[in-house]
């Protein structure tokens, strides 16, 4: 059955409300983690302040599970999340995405720039982007790069955009915005977009999750300990991952059920905000 974006967005919003209910699972995962800490209160805990020792919260674990299962999410929401994470104006971030690729996750320029934010392969690698064609990773990488340039140029948007388009080397060479027609037009076009109400109008499925593999994330933290505690941490991580994947799977089934019901007279309006979401389980 064909389904327009507004319906899909409504379903996504509903799924997000379910996700809010799942946050209560964090206390449960903390309790589970304590079962694998050798029964002691000393030393490093698997969980501290709602975050595991490998640096991933339950929410991040949930996002990784969503990525592995290919659950769609709003590209608008990814832009908002990236803007908040890297303290970049969301209007600037979305304007750059529109100018660079028209929000096309599969875009490739003649110069080899890739994805929504048109990252060059070397730049993407330096930013930690594992898959430049994964919309979430690419947008996060672009936001991180813009944040770096905003800091470098003391918040000057013109210089930041000039560096994004022509490179920081040319900004330094000319002592400001390079006298390139393309760069000058690029800055003007993005500022015009920033004055508009932008929306991507699409959902995408993440292919990489939020932080790559758990093992790599744990090693990067520099955490040390005995082989036993490392094995216990791995077991607890696997268990949390399984919980997250279970609930993501349930959310996917629920969405499929709602989509099917749309053809049988059931409207999105019937999904009351105060409903008991335990019916998902």
């Amino acid at each position: 059955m064909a389904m327009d974006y507004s319906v899909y967005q409504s379903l996504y919003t509903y799924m997000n409300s379910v996700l809010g209910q799942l946050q209560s699972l964090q206390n449960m995962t903390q309790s589970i983690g304590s079962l694998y800490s050798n029964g002691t209160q000393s030393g490093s805990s698997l969980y501290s302040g709602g975050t595991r020792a490998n640096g991933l919260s339950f929410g991040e674990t949930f996002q990784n599970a969503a990525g592995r299962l290919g659950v769609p999410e709003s590209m608008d929401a990814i832009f908002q999340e990236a803007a908040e994470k890297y303290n970049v104006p969301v209007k600037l971030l979305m304007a750059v995405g529109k100018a660079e690729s028209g929000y096309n996750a599969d875009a490739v320029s003649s110069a080899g720039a890739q994805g929504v934010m048109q990252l060059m392969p070397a730049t993407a690698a330096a930013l930690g982007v594992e898959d430049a064609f994964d919309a979430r990773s690419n947008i996060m990488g672009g936001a991180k790069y813009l944040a770096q340039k905003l800091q470098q140029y003391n918040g000057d948007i013109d210089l930041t955009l000039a560096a994004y388009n022509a490179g920081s080397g040319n900004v330094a060479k000319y002592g400001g915005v390079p006298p390139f027609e393309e760069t000058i037009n690029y800055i003007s076009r993005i500022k015009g977009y920033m004055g508009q109400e932008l929306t991507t109008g699409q959902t995408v499925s993440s292919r990489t999750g939020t932080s790559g593999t758990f093992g790599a994330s744990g090693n990067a933290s520099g955490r040390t300990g005995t082989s036993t505690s490392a094995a216990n941490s791995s077991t607890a991580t696997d268990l949390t991952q399984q919980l997250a994947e279970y609930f993501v799977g349930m959310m996917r089934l629920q969405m499929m059920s709602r989509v099917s019901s749309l053809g049988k007279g059931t409207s999105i309006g019937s999904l009351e905000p105060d409903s008991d979401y335990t019916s998902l389980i």
Side-chain angles (χ1 to χ4, degrees):
M1 178 185 67
M3 184 168 61
D4 63 23
Y5 173 73
S6 62
V7 173
Y8 208 167
Q9 183 65 36
S10 296
L11 287 169
Y12 177 79
T13 301
Y14 170 67
M15 289 170 66
N16 270 344
S17 70
V18 177
L19 175 58
Q21 300 293 315
L22 299 181
Q23 298 308 310
S24 62
L25 284 173
Q26 185 160 329
N27 290 334
M28 184 174 71
T29 57
Q30 289 175 342
S31 298
I32 293 172
S34 67
L35 297 176
Y36 296 95
S37 60
N38 295 324
T40 64
Q41 298 298 321
S42 61
S44 62
S45 173
L46 294 176
Y47 296 84
S48 177
T51 302
R52 294 205 313 277
N54 65 6
L56 293 176
S57 67
F58 177 77
E60 290 169 324
T61 301
F62 188 93
Q63 183 60 57
N64 270 294
R68 286 175 58 178
L69 292 174
V71 175
E73 60 181 328
S74 165
M75 187 182 283
D76 286 16
I78 297 175
F79 272 108
Q80 185 65 46
E81 180 184 342
E84 293 174 357
K85 181 174 183 178
Y86 293 105
N87 195 28
V88 174
V90 68
K91 284 184 174 292
L92 171 62
L93 186 60
M94 292 192 72
V96 171
K98 181 176 177 63
E100 289 288 346
S101 70
Y103 307 128
N104 181 0
D106 298 317
V108 179
S109 74
S110 59
Q114 302 171 333
V116 176
M117 303 298 289
Q118 288 290 277
L119 303 177
M120 293 297 289
T123 302
L127 293 168
V129 177
E130 297 179 357
D131 181 357
F133 296 107
D134 175 72
R136 165 173 280 276
S137 294
N138 193 288
I139 293 169
M140 289 293 173
K144 183 177 181 179
Y145 187 72
L146 282 171
Q148 292 173 352
K149 296 307 170 186
L150 284 168
Q151 183 176 19
Q152 180 178 348
Y153 299 117
N154 299 313
D156 190 309
I157 290 180
D158 282 15
L159 294 182
T160 295
L161 293 175
Y164 200 100
N165 176 256
S168 295
N170 278 317
V171 173
K173 176 180 178 180
Y174 291 98
V177 176
F180 306 149
E181 183 177 358
E182 176 189 337
T183 301
I184 293 172
N185 290 337
Y186 177 82
I187 294 172
S188 177
R189 184 164 73 257
I190 287 181
K191 284 189 167 182
Y193 289 152
M194 290 177 67
Q196 303 174 13
E197 290 297 325
L198 298 177
T199 180
T200 66
Q202 60 180 299
T203 58
V204 293
S205 296
S206 175
R207 299 188 295 201
T208 61
T210 57
S211 306
T213 62
F214 288 110
S217 176
N219 292 337
S221 69
R223 180 167 51 89
T224 61
T226 65
S227 58
T228 300
S229 62
N232 289 339
S233 178
S234 176
T235 302
T237 296
D238 290 343
L239 183 56
T240 306
Q241 183 74 18
Q242 291 169 9
L243 283 170
E245 289 188 11
Y246 170 78
F247 283 101
V248 169
M250 294 302 294
M251 288 170 69
R252 169 186 263 179
L253 291 174
Q254 181 72 0
M255 184 185 73
M256 292 172 62
S257 174
R258 297 294 177 181
V259 170
S260 176
S261 68
L262 289 178
K264 301 177 180 178
T266 301
S267 67
I268 294 296
S270 67
L271 305 181
E272 298 295 339
D274 297 326
S275 297
D276 180 5
Y277 299 109
T278 56
S279 61
L280 288 176
I281 302 176

